[in-house]
Every structure is written in structure tokens, then in C-alpha cells.
Amino acid sequence: MTTDESRFREEGRPDPDALLSSAGRGKRGRLKIFLGMAPGVGKTYEMLTQGRRAQAEHGEVLVGVVETHGRRETEALLEGLEVMARRPIEHRGRILMEFDLDAALACKPRLLLVDEYAHSNAPGSRHPKRWQDVEELLQAGIDVWTTLNVQHLESLVEVIWKITGARQRETVPDSALSRADEIELIDITPTELRQRMDEGKVYLPETARLAASNFFKPENLTALRELALRRAAQTVDDQLSQAMKRAGVEGPWAAGERILVLIGPDAMAGPLVRAGRRLSDMMMDAPWTVAHVERPNRAAPDAGRGLPLVEALKLAEQLGGASVVLNGDDLVGAVLEYARRNNVTQIVVGKSHRRGWRALLHRSLAPELLKAQNGAALHIITETAAGPAPEPAIAPAKPRFAWRGHLGAIAMVAVAIGLAALLDRHVENANLAMLFMVSVLGSGLAFGLWPAVTAAALAAFAYNFFFLQPRLSFWIGHPADVLTFLVFFAVAMTTGGLTGRVRDQAKATARRASAITALLAASRRLSGAARKEDAAAILAEQVSAATSGKVVVLLPTDGEIAAIAGAPELEPLSTADMTAARWTWNRGEPAGAGTGTLPNAGWTFRPLQGVRSRSGVVGFEPSSLAAAENERFALALLDQGAIAIERAELAAAAVDAEALRRSDRLRAALLNSVSHDLRTPLATVLGSATTLIDYGASMKPAVRDDLLLSIREDAERLNRYVGDLLDMAKLEGGALLARRDWIDVREVIAAALARVARRLGQRRALRDFPAELSMVRADPVLLEQVLVNILENAITYSEDGALIETAAFEDRGNVVISIEDEGRGIPTAELERVFEKFRRLEEAIDRGGERGKGAGLGLAIAKGFVEAMGGRIAAASPIRERPDGSKGGTRILISLRKEVAGGKTSS
């Protein structure tokens, strides 16, 4: 259901929305679709025939892809046309030849012919569907001609399946067809198509015989032909409507029928909707819309009076019609404005049999439309013709008479009588009528329209009875007083009515403003929900507040829906309620109390329909949707909630996909590491050991010692690699648990330096510690491994004789460990990525060459360990000038937060 804010534009002025839509096309190319009822009707043949004609007229016609299916007549039409080479794509060991989108964009022809609009591209293509390729071509400003069979439209999949027994896998969204600038229907009779099949012009003989007895049955082809004719006519009718809006032409133009059914909050609403459906059927399923006009200058109907309107709007949706709520003080003007803008040709309106004073006071809509309308046919449905109104599924509450308002009005008039009597006694010739007028105005402002009318009538007669001669009598003695009384009565009624109406309008405006504010607040809260369970809880809370009733939200869990959230609290659902909820989930239709499906359930269930799919189901107390305004507000919240839940699901799926992608990257990197970084030292160890076994006795001691040293170094390297891989596996799997012990980082630094002392070689190690240093809470084993990884990294990328300085100091809140080297440094572009997994510089300076390189995990593990202990790690480079004049050196800083306790320790 939509809302249309009717505002009357100048006659002949174009519709702004239509102009914006047209302007939004920019330099977009034009799309022409050759539409047919089935394969073999001649779509491709006609497209190529017209393509040859277009080439003869202006040239620049390129054939992107055409499927001839071996038809000689079609292949002959390709002669003389430039045909693009196709792009080979490998899929499951086969080479598939697909349309080359990039080549077409590079050529940018004036007109491109692309066959089979609904084709599914091979995996690995830029877009999964060919219609998406066409959309990109159109955005690039290229005109495209394409072909399409009606059975490939998304909205007709179920219809085609029921007709032919075949479910279409390749589909095109209906919106893609609606965006076409031209549609040409290629139509032949079913008999002619079957004759073409017998002649072998569609399929090979054996395939043709099989198809003729299945998909191409005469009855199937007749139904498909009707669908193609209808869809082409509907698309052309939509194009006509848009063209009229862009040109500012007011309808109706009866090129196609459009029906508008007008309903109000009365018993005729349902019969009028059914009459509109019957009229649509008689006019070949013409599109029809049910409209209700809300008038800001009138008070909104209460829940009891508004129930027929709610039921009628539900019925319209169930019967396949659209619904719209118009707004306007002028009922006739709002209706005719909407009819002109939407090219309505048939208007259905009801006429009740009012008699006596009701007929005099109430203006009938049908005669007014008959006077004002200028072209649309008017269908008047009377109460007798409509038949008796059915009993509503939910019994409406009986309207309550506003006794308090009327009693308050009487009290105000009584106060005015007392004040007027007091003033009349002490002041001569006082204008007592103004006191009564004030009471009428006060009643209107305080209690509304009808209490103000009561006050006006009572004030007029009280003024006559108590203060006009002869007093204490309703008889008016002086002719001039008759005029005074009549004028007073008229003015009191008018001002009271206007005041009450202003109050009612103010309340209605405040109510709408409150609804908009509530929708905005709900939207903000829903947009901030990270999980679908949170979004469901917020939705239940907001809908419950909007409808003043109980609400339950059900979401799919392991293939079955289950109650996730409720407001004011989550209540268990009975077996009948769950059956109705499952129906709504499976069918996407309302079910439960107040509907035509499983009405014995205790709840009314509505689907949560997101942009891409159904998100869940919401259940209401039946009485909470009795008011039309409540239902519209609730439905608006449901739309927002469905999108929020869908967004949360997509966000969760994106997180899972990212985790899977990272896991795949890690797996690939680990395999690479195992295959390369582990194989190299293994080969060295194996080769050295084999050499020692075979030739050890004849080797010189120095050579034998060198081989043994190589075995030890590569074995240590293997041990480091395996340790790194195990540590990274712990980090990735979340299995790392850091202990929190009070430690002195100077002791940990000393232990780490001792572990790498043998690898220092000719490099110098310098320590810089303060005499006193605060203790921190950390895991000594993890911290030592962090320092070893950083020191080994500094050794690997430093030259012999270089200085590696390790320092510790503290500031107000942290103990900081600094490790500096005099190596070449880290390029500025790599600083932010230096702590990533498997990230390493191309060249190691260590004497081991390729053996000196690590797996690229050391700094990534250091970062993970430091963060697991609640610390931070950062890198800076370059930090100093090298002896050769270049800038280099790297500083790694580790910051560990100080905590209360522990105190200082002396060196």
C-alpha cells in the first residue's frame, strides 16, 4: 500500500518525477527487445534483417553474439555484418565461448546486436547474466538490440511451469523489460510454428518430434502467445503513461484500461473492491487500484469505524489489486488529479441511500465526480447492488460517545451563564453574547467539533432564555431580538465548528508528526542493529508501541522459523499459531486471525519481505490492527524491520565470507610455506647428511665441520618455521591464552638476547636499561618469543658489524621496549603492512642468503602475542643515516600498560 500526497499542479505541467526519470537517462543507450512466445518464431531472424537495414542506412552495426542454432536462413543474414570474436572461458575442463563484453565496450559501436537476453554466462564472466552485460553496454551509451522469449520473465516462472510443466532456469527480471525503449512483438500462430518445426527450421528432426509432443503442444503455444501479447501491451501502456506524464498531457487516453476504485470507511468498501476486481476481469485483467482519500480537515475515524477500510485494503491486495492512500481537503479534486496523472479510464464509486436531513447535509461523491470528470467512465455501485456487507473477521469495538467532552461543553456554558448574570447585574448594556461566544470557542478548543456544536446550540438558547426579553422564556418579544438570536446562533455554530475542526486537525497533525518521529527513531535503532536477533527485538518493541498490543517476531533457524523476540514479552505460541506462522513464511501471505487462511489462530501473521528475500514473520494481536492508521504505521515498520534483518544477515554473511577468504589465503600461504620454506632446509639437511655418510671418512675435518654446522643451522631453521606455523595456527584459531604474571621486562629481554646470541655473528648487541623500572603484568613466555622474533628479524636484515640496540623505559602509563637495528630499513609504503602474515622483504642480508629468510610470520606472530597481552606494537623506519649516506634502520616499539601493584625493581 502506498501513500500519494495529492497536490494540484497547473494544467498541462509535466510531472516532475517523470522528467527526473527521463533526465536520469543521460547518455544511456537505447534498448530494443524482440519479444516472442517461444523459440523458432523468428526473433533472431527479424533482428538481423533490421540490423542489415540499419547498416545500409547509417553503418556502424556490430554483431556481438548471435545463436543461429544451425538455421541456414539465419546464418545467411550474417553475411556482410561484422561479427565479434567470442571470449574463451574454461569451466570444468571445457572451453566455453562467451560474449566478449570488454571488446564490445572498447569498440563502442553505434548499434550492437546481442542475442538471447536471458542467457546465463559461464562462471568467471564479469556478470552472471547476459542482461547485466547489456545493462553495462547501455550505461556506456551503446544502443543494443536483443531477443527474449516470454517464458524467461521472472514473474511468469510459476505460470509457465503450470502451463508447460517445465521450470525455467534462465530468467530476466521484469524491470529489465520495463526499461526497454522499444519492444517489437514477433508473432506467428501456433499452427505456423509447429509447421516450421516439422520442416526442420527450428530443431533437428528427432528433437523437433520430442518438443512437439511436450513444450510445443498447441494449447501450450496458445497460452504462451496470449502471455506475450499481454506483456507487450502492458509494457506499451506503461510507456504511454510515462510519455503523457513527461509531456504534461492529462488523461485519460483510453489506449489501455486502468481502473480506480474509491472506498471509504463504511460497509460498502468490500463490495466496491470486489466490483473493481470483476470489472478488471471483464477488461482482460486490466490493472486496478483501490484508493482511499484522507482529508486533513476531518478527524480520523476510530478503530471501530475504520475496520471496514482496513479489511477492504487487505482484500484488494489479496485479489491482486494495488492500493493507495490519497491526501487532500478537496475529495473530488484529489481523485481527479490522481486519475489524470495515472491515465485512469474507469472509476468505480459507491452511492449510499441517504434520506431526509442526511441527504441535505452530506454531499454525494458520485454526482460531483460526474460533474467534474472529463473522460473517464464512471461506474456507480449502490448499496442494493453491492449486497449485504459480510461480517468482519474481527468484531469492531463499539464506538463510545464522548460524554466527557459534551459534559465539559455544558459546564462551560453554565459558567458563561453565571458570569453573564453577574455582569448583567452590575454593568448596563453589557455585550453578554461575547461571554457565550467565548464558551463555545473554549469548548471547541478543549473538546473538539461535536462538543463545540453542543455548546453553540446550548449557548444560543441559554442566551435567549435568560437575557432576551421576555426573560425566562424562549419567546422573543422584540423583532430586533429575533435577528440578534439568529445571528448569534449562526455565528456560534460556525465558530464552534471551525474551532473544533482546527483542534481535530491539530491532533491529526500531531499524530502524523508523532508517527513520522517514531518511524525515524525506529529507523535509526534498526540501522544500528548488528545482529538479526537485535533487529528482531527492536522491531518487536517498536511495533508493540505503535499498535499498543502484543507482538512476536519469528526468524528462520536451521530451516524452521522460531519465535526470537516479543514485546512486551516473548509469549509461547500454540500449535495453531505456529501453523499459521509457517504458512505465512512459506507462502509470503498473511495468515491467522482476521484473514482468510487459518482464521482460528490467536494471532495475525504478516511476512517480513526484504529487498532480496523473505526475512521472517511478525505476529500481532488481532485487535491491534483494527485502526487503519495503526496498520499503515505497523506495515511501514515491518518494511524497515525486514530490511534491517536482511542487512544484518548480509553483514554476517560478509563476515563469514571474509573469514573464509582469509582462511583460504592462510591455507594457500601455509601450503606455499610448507612446499618451499620447509623443503629447502630439508633438502640441505638431507644432502649434507648423505654426503657425510658416503664420504665422511675421506673428508677433511674443516669440510666435515662445515657440513655439520649446515645441518644444525637448517635444523634450527626448520624448528623456527614449525614453531611459527603452530603459533599462527593458535592465533587464527583463537586458542591462544596469555598468562598475566608480574614480570620485569629486563629479565625477559636478557633471556631473548641469550637465545639469539649465536646468530648475532659479527653484529654488536647493546642494552640500555634504567636502574629502576616498573613491573608489568604479561606472559613471560610469549613476550620472550616476541622479542626473539624481532631480534631475529633485525639480524636477518642487518650487515656484519651493525649495531642492534635493545632498550627499555617507561612513561606515565606504559613500559616501552625498543629494538633498533642499522639495516636497510623498511620502505615507507610497507610500514603499514609489515605486521601482516607472510610479509617479508625481497632480500635478506644475513649470510644464509635464501636460508636467512623466514616464512614472513615472525612480526605477525609478535603483533598477535603483544595484542593478546593487552599491549601495542609499532614500527618506524628509516630512523638514522647509514655509513654510506643512505637512510635506513628500523625501530620496533612494544608498549605494555602499567597496572597498580608491583612497584619498582632495582637493577
Side-chain angles (χ1 to χ4, degrees):
M1 181 171 60
T2 61
T3 300
D4 185 285
E5 297 288 344
S6 294
R7 297 294 182 264
F8 305 133
R9 302 189 309 271
E10 299 175 7
E11 292 188 8
R13 181 180 176 185
D15 186 283
D17 294 334
L19 290 177
L20 287 173
S21 176
S22 178
R25 292 179 58 87
K27 296 182 179 179
R28 175 185 168 93
R30 293 180 60 82
L31 174 63
K32 182 175 181 178
I33 296 178
F34 294 84
L35 181 67
M37 66 177 177
V41 297
K43 303 179 301 299
T44 305
Y45 186 91
E46 182 63 23
M47 180 179 70
L48 291 175
T49 301
Q50 294 190 24
R52 293 173 64 90
R53 192 180 308 133
Q55 185 183 46
E57 293 175 356
H58 54 72
E60 298 185 42
V61 175
L62 181 63
V63 177
V65 58
V66 162
E67 303 292 348
T68 63
H69 300 289
R71 298 164 190 160
R72 291 188 298 274
E73 299 90 341
T74 306
E75 291 175 352
L77 292 174
L78 288 173
E79 297 180 4
L81 293 174
E82 183 180 355
V83 181
M84 289 178 53
R86 300 197 188 186
R87 175 188 172 208
I89 296 180
E90 184 178 357
H91 178 58
R92 295 180 179 178
R94 297 174 55 197
I95 300 298
L96 304 177
M97 306 303 292
E98 290 287 351
F99 169 59
D100 195 338
L101 176 59
D102 291 324
L105 291 170
C107 294
K108 201 169 185 179
R110 182 172 180 178
L111 174 61
L112 184 68
L113 309 184
V114 180
D115 204 8
E116 296 189 356
Y117 196 36
H119 173 76
S120 296
N121 293 329
S125 303
R126 183 183 308 173
H127 302 297
K129 299 289 186 179
R130 183 167 291 169
W131 68 264
Q132 295 172 310
D133 294 340
V134 171
E135 185 65 25
E136 185 171 346
L137 293 166
L138 295 172
Q139 293 294 340
I142 301 173
D143 292 347
V144 179
W145 289 359
T146 187
T147 62
L148 177 68
N149 289 322
V150 72
Q151 70 262 25
H152 293 297
L153 287 175
E154 181 68 41
S155 65
L156 298 179
V157 169
E158 297 295 334
V159 177
I160 299 298
W161 176 67
K162 291 179 181 178
I163 294 173
T164 65
R167 185 174 293 276
Q168 299 297 321
R169 302 298 180 188
E170 294 183 328
T171 60
V172 172
D174 292 53
S175 58
L177 179 66
S178 301
R179 287 193 295 267
D181 298 279
E182 295 181 57
I183 290 182
E184 182 168 336
L185 181 65
I186 310 302
D187 181 48
I188 62 175
T189 65
T191 302
E192 185 178 353
L193 178 56
R194 288 174 61 85
Q195 182 179 350
R196 286 172 54 84
M197 292 185 62
D198 294 339
E199 295 172 354
K201 296 181 178 179
V202 179
Y203 295 127
L204 295 174
E206 185 62 32
T207 306
R209 283 193 296 272
L210 185 62
S213 60
N214 291 282
F215 188 89
F216 287 82
K217 294 178 182 178
E219 58 272 22
N220 291 357
L221 294 178
T222 302
L224 292 172
R225 187 185 187 196
E226 181 181 357
L227 287 174
L229 291 168
R230 284 180 179 272
R231 187 46 61 102
Q234 180 181 339
T235 305
V236 172
D237 188 57
D238 291 339
Q239 292 174 347
L240 171 63
S241 179
Q242 289 298 317
M244 291 173 64
K245 290 179 180 180
R246 287 194 299 269
V249 177
E250 294 187 349
W253 283 5
E257 302 295 347
R258 291 176 180 269
I259 302 168
L260 178 65
V261 182
L262 303 176
I263 64 172
D266 52 41
M268 290 191 65
L272 284 170
V273 170
R274 295 184 182 88
R277 172 73 260 187
R278 290 194 299 271
L279 185 61
S280 173
D281 291 338
M282 289 187 290
M283 295 182 174
M284 297 183 65
D285 201 20
W288 60 293
T289 302
V290 175
H292 167 65
V293 182
E294 283 190 349
R295 304 172 74 178
N297 61 356
R298 299 290 178 88
D302 55 30
R305 292 190 59 225
L307 186 60
L309 176 63
V310 175
E311 296 290 337
L313 293 176
K314 291 179 185 176
L315 179 61
E317 294 179 359
Q318 293 171 1
L319 296 180
S323 59
V324 63
V325 177
L326 308 175
N327 282 289
D329 294 333
D330 184 355
L331 185 63
V332 176
V335 170
L336 293 181
E337 171 69 9
Y338 179 83
R340 282 193 293 265
R341 286 192 291 111
N342 292 275
N343 199 28
V344 172
T345 60
Q346 311 286 332
I347 299 177
V348 179
V349 64
K351 187 178 187 304
S352 59
H353 293 292
R354 291 194 180 100
R355 294 182 176 86
W357 63 274
R358 290 179 177 270
L360 295 175
L361 293 179
H362 291 82
R363 186 177 64 164
S364 178
L365 178 60
E368 296 296 329
L369 285 175
L370 196 57
K371 293 178 185 176
Q373 69 91 17
N374 56 350
L378 189 64
H379 301 261
I380 301 175
I381 309 298
T382 63
E383 284 182 318
T384 304
E391 290 294 328
I394 305 172
K398 294 182 179 180
R400 294 179 299 175
F401 186 71
W403 287 109
R404 292 184 180 180
H406 290 275
L407 290 175
I410 294 172
M412 284 194 174
V413 174
V415 171
I417 293 172
L419 292 176
L422 184 63
L423 193 62
D424 184 53
R425 185 177 301 175
H426 296 90
V427 180
E428 292 184 4
N429 299 322
N431 191 352
L432 303 178
M434 291 300 101
L435 291 174
F436 290 97
M437 199 65 68
V438 170
S439 70
V440 174
L441 294 174
S443 299
L445 289 174
F447 307 115
L449 174 61
W450 292 111
V453 172
T454 299
L458 187 60
F461 286 105
Y463 178 62
N464 173 33
F465 186 79
F466 290 106
F467 300 104
L468 291 181
Q469 297 297 333
R471 299 194 177 194
L472 302 180
S473 172
F474 289 109
W475 182 261
I476 301 176
H478 196 281
D481 291 340
V482 175
L483 180 61
T484 301
F485 172 76
L486 293 176
V487 171
F488 176 80
F489 185 79
V491 171
M493 293 292 287
T494 303
T495 55
L498 290 176
T499 306
R501 185 166 294 175
V502 167
R503 175 187 178 274
D504 292 341
Q505 289 180 17
K507 290 184 66 176
T509 302
R511 190 164 53 248
R512 291 190 181 97
S514 176
I516 292 173
T517 303
L519 278 174
L520 179 60
S523 177
R524 287 176 176 172
R525 291 192 61 191
L526 287 169
S527 63
R531 301 183 309 124
K532 65 178 183 179
E533 292 80 8
D534 298 336
I538 294 171
L539 177 62
E541 177 186 339
Q542 295 293 325
V543 175
S544 176
T547 60
S548 301
K550 297 178 182 178
V551 173
V552 62
V553 179
L554 300 94
L555 299 181
T557 304
D558 298 329
E560 181 66 33
I561 60 169
I564 299 297
E569 60 184 2
L570 181 59
E571 296 189 358
L573 299 178
S574 66
T575 302
D577 295 334
M578 286 303 300
T579 302
R582 292 189 190 97
W583 175 279
T584 298
W585 170 248
N586 293 327
R587 304 295 182 90
E589 300 173 356
T595 69
T597 304
L598 303 173
N600 293 327
W603 295 72
T604 300
F605 294 96
R606 294 290 183 93
L608 285 171
Q609 187 62 48
V611 177
R612 301 178 58 183
S613 62
R614 205 169 297 128
S615 304
V617 174
V618 173
F620 303 88
E621 276 188 314
S623 58
S624 63
L625 297 181
E629 192 168 350
N630 279 2
E631 184 178 29
R632 288 201 300 274
F633 189 20
L635 291 179
L637 286 173
L638 293 193
D639 290 340
Q640 291 190 6
I643 294 173
I645 292 172
E646 188 176 57
R647 182 172 59 246
E649 290 175 342
L650 291 175
V655 171
D656 293 342
E658 176 63 19
L660 182 61
R661 186 183 66 83
R662 292 175 58 188
S663 176
D664 289 341
R665 286 179 56 191
L666 177 62
R667 186 181 298 110
L670 287 174
L671 290 174
N672 177 67
S673 178
V674 170
S675 64
H676 180 268
D677 295 320
L678 298 185
R679 182 180 297 174
T680 301
L682 279 174
T684 303
V685 170
L686 181 61
S688 300
T690 302
T691 301
L692 284 171
I693 293 172
D694 294 341
Y695 307 104
S698 60
M699 286 183 177
K700 295 181 179 180
V703 176
R704 188 167 55 249
D705 291 344
D706 188 63
L707 288 174
L708 290 172
L709 180 62
S710 296
I711 292 174
R712 187 179 70 178
E713 288 179 348
D714 282 293
E716 290 175 346
R717 181 182 174 200
L718 276 174
N719 184 58
R720 290 197 304 273
Y721 284 169
V722 172
D724 286 348
L725 292 174
L726 291 175
D727 290 339
M728 183 54 61
K730 289 180 181 179
L731 286 172
E732 291 289 333
L736 181 67
L737 297 176
R739 291 182 2 227
R740 303 297 298 274
D741 298 332
W742 290 104
I743 63 171
D744 184 351
V745 298
R746 293 171 298 182
E747 296 177 359
V748 180
I749 294 173
L753 287 171
R755 283 178 57 182
V756 300
R758 192 161 44 82
R759 287 205 62 204
L760 283 172
Q762 301 300 317
R763 301 167 186 82
R764 295 172 295 135
L766 177 65
R767 309 182 191 186
D768 184 8
F769 300 155
E772 293 185 353
L773 190 66
S774 297
M775 298 183 72
V776 295
R777 295 195 64 183
D779 189 321
V781 177
L782 294 185
L783 182 58
E784 181 180 332
Q785 186 60 48
V786 168
L787 297 176
V788 168
N789 287 0
I790 297 173
L791 288 169
E792 288 186 339
N793 196 71
I795 293 170
T796 300
Y797 292 98
S798 297
E799 299 170 347
D800 287 340
L803 176 65
I804 298 176
E805 182 178 356
T806 306
F809 58 91
E810 63 181 304
D811 55 24
R812 179 174 298 179
N814 303 279
V815 171
V816 181
I817 302 173
S818 171
I819 300 177
E820 298 183 5
D821 63 57
E822 294 181 341
R824 297 179 181 175
I826 302 171
T828 304
E830 295 287 332
L831 275 178
E832 295 183 358
R833 306 175 62 186
V834 73
F835 294 104
E836 293 181 1
K837 295 186 292 290
F838 304 103
R839 196 75 186 171
R840 58 189 179 185
L841 298 180
E842 289 300 320
E843 295 183 5
I845 302 175
D846 190 21
R847 65 183 178 85
E850 181 66 24
R851 288 162 47 195
K853 284 187 175 184
L857 292 174
L859 292 182
I861 292 171
K863 182 175 186 291
F865 283 1
V866 170
E867 290 179 348
M869 293 183 289
R872 293 177 297 169
I873 187 170
S877 182
I879 59 173
R880 58 167 57 94
E881 190 169 314
R882 289 162 49 86
D884 59 2
S886 62
K887 291 186 178 295
T890 301
R891 179 186 297 118
I892 305 292
L893 295 174
I894 301 171
S895 176
L896 300 173
R897 184 175 296 277
K898 293 191 294 187
E899 298 184 22
V900 179
K904 303 268 188 182
T905 58
S906 298
S907 175

